[in-house]
Amino acid sequence: MIRGSGLASGLDTQSLISQLVSLQRQPILRYQADQRAAEARISTLGSLTSQLNTLSDKFDDLGNLSELLSYKASSSDEDFFSASADGTASPGSYEIEVSQLAAAEKNRSAAFADGTAAVSGTTLDITVFGESAVSVSIPDGASLADARDLINSSGAQVSASIINTGSGSYLTMTSLKEGHEIGGSASDAITITETVTGAGGQALSLTEVQAAQNAQLTIDGLAIESSSNDVDSAVTGVSLSLSKVTAAGSPLQLTVESDTEAVKATMQEVADLYNDVMDTLRREDMKSTSLARLLQGDLQNLFSSAVPGATDFVNLAAIGLESSFTTGKLELDATMLDDALSEDPLAVAALFTTDTTGLGTTLPDLLDRYTN
């Protein structure tokens, strides 16, 4: 093989060829660089979209008073009742006496030899709390255990089990709902129509062995009846869970107070989410884009502007959420927020919850225009 080196012509052909190849590659290299830049920007936009959705969801939640304000409820003796509160509660103290706990109705079958004993073919129509009856068909000769399983899989609001005493087995059916309808009869907590259709085995012959009863308590001397031991409508925003009867004439204390630490944690989360978005908008591959400039301006304007309809505190800066002059990031002044919550927690909440103009509405609306 003969390879010319350029000696005859005096040209460095190898160098010339390399330069030509390099020139030919320049458009490809530029394309590859553009492609890498585009992929990086797409990745950044994906991260930004995720951050905006998270920020939007957070403010959507804060548009609800129960999600924004936090209260804590405590019992003077949790052996008798425990308590919790949501953002619709109000600070206060109450005297609680529990005279009766709610109990579910129970029904029991006749005695069977054991769980394998045959049951006569039967149709059970089971009604709980007056709801639509659920029909359970037990085939003739099915075992007591089969009958239990058919009841449990029927969708009826009862639980069936077998109790073995050593001398006999009993099918027990218990309502999944405590108590009975207020104003109704205790015997109507479960209504069972038992129709025997078969001749083999033994009929269940279910009878009531424990009547349903409702919880009875007083709150500051006012009588309360509840079909459940979980009482969540007696005091606004407060849920009670009753577990023991109190001594007559010896009330316990329920205390509801503002949980400022929880509200501060929520506001710090708001600041962190906002700052994450701003950090992304200021990234090298984003900061020069019109999208970044527009979104950054819109967010800064919304977070600093007065909220129409807000009362004592007109914007976030008034409750301690203010943009830093040096970093541009949102910072929380915990002392200012404590003072605002102490002065008027509902006025703090109004920044987020005011109909149509609160940040719980306007921020998600703003971000939807960008993410969509």
Side-chain angles (χ1 to χ4, degrees), residues 82-84 98 100 102 178 215-217 219 224-235 237-242:
S82 59
S84 61
V98 181
Q100 179 174 286
E178 295 169 327
Q216 304 284 349
L217 67 153
I219 300 178
I224 307 292
E225 180 180 2
S226 170
S227 60
S228 169
N229 289 316
D230 294 323
V231 184
D232 57 10
S233 59
V235 179
V238 177
S239 296
L240 304 175
S241 182
L242 312 180

Side-chain angles (χ1 to χ4, degrees), residues 57-320:
D57 289 345
K58 185 63 181 177
F59 272 75
D60 189 49
D61 289 341
L62 296 181
N64 298 313
L65 189 64
S66 60
E67 294 288 338
L68 176 58
L69 295 183
S70 291
Y71 292 90
K72 51 188 177 183
S74 59
S75 164
S76 59
D77 192 334
E78 293 203 344
D79 285 343
F80 292 87
F81 73 89
S82 59
S84 61
D86 64 28
T88 62
S90 299
S93 181
Y94 309 85
E95 290 190 339
I96 307 290
E97 286 190 73
V98 181
S99 58
Q100 179 174 286
L101 295 177
E105 179 182 328
K106 287 187 179 182
N107 289 264
R108 184 180 299 156
S109 73
F112 284 72
D114 54 40
T116 64
V119 177
S120 299
T122 302
T123 298
L124 298 176
D125 292 309
I126 304 169
T127 303
V128 179
F129 272 58
E131 296 174 358
S132 299
V134 175
S135 185
V136 182
S137 180
I138 301 170
D140 198 29
S143 70
L144 191 64
D146 291 335
R148 173 201 61 198
D149 296 341
L150 287 167
I151 294 169
N152 285 335
S153 63
S154 69
Q157 293 296 296
V158 296
S159 173
S161 60
I162 294 174
I163 298 175
N164 186 356
T165 66
S167 59
S169 293
Y170 300 81
L171 185 141
T172 298
M173 189 189 302
T174 306
S175 173
L176 293 176
K177 295 184 176 182
E178 295 169 327
H180 57 85
E181 289 185 284
I182 295 175
S185 171
S187 62
D188 292 336
I190 305 178
T191 302
I192 303 171
T193 302
E194 183 177 343
T195 305
V196 178
T197 57
Q202 177 184 336
L204 288 173
S205 301
L206 290 160
T207 57
E208 182 183 294
V209 293
Q210 176 177 293
Q213 66 179 31
N214 287 343
Q216 304 284 349
L217 67 153
T218 62
I219 300 178
D220 285 349
L222 297 173
I224 307 292
E225 180 180 2
S226 170
S227 60
S228 169
N229 289 316
D230 294 323
V231 184
D232 57 10
S233 59
V235 179
T236 301
V238 177
S239 296
L240 304 175
S241 182
L242 312 180
S243 49
K244 273 176 77 172
V245 171
T246 60
S250 300
L252 300 175
Q253 294 297 312
L254 165 67
T255 303
V256 183
E257 55 191 337
S258 179
D259 188 353
T260 57
E261 293 304 312
V263 179
K264 283 191 285 189
T266 297
M267 291 301 105
Q268 184 59 58
E269 184 182 359
V270 165
D272 292 342
L273 292 173
Y274 174 89
N275 292 336
D276 286 344
V277 170
M278 288 303 183
D279 284 343
T280 300
L281 293 176
R282 291 167 183 151
R283 281 181 50 165
E284 195 64 35
D285 57 345
M286 281 293 295
K287 64 182 182 181
S288 62
T289 66
S290 58
L291 168 67
R293 292 194 299 272
L294 286 170
L295 179 53
Q296 188 170 331
D298 282 345
L299 283 173
Q300 289 173 333
N301 180 60
L302 190 63
F303 271 67
S304 61
S305 297
V307 173
T311 53
D312 294 349
F313 309 110
V314 297
N315 59 17
L316 291 179
I319 65 169

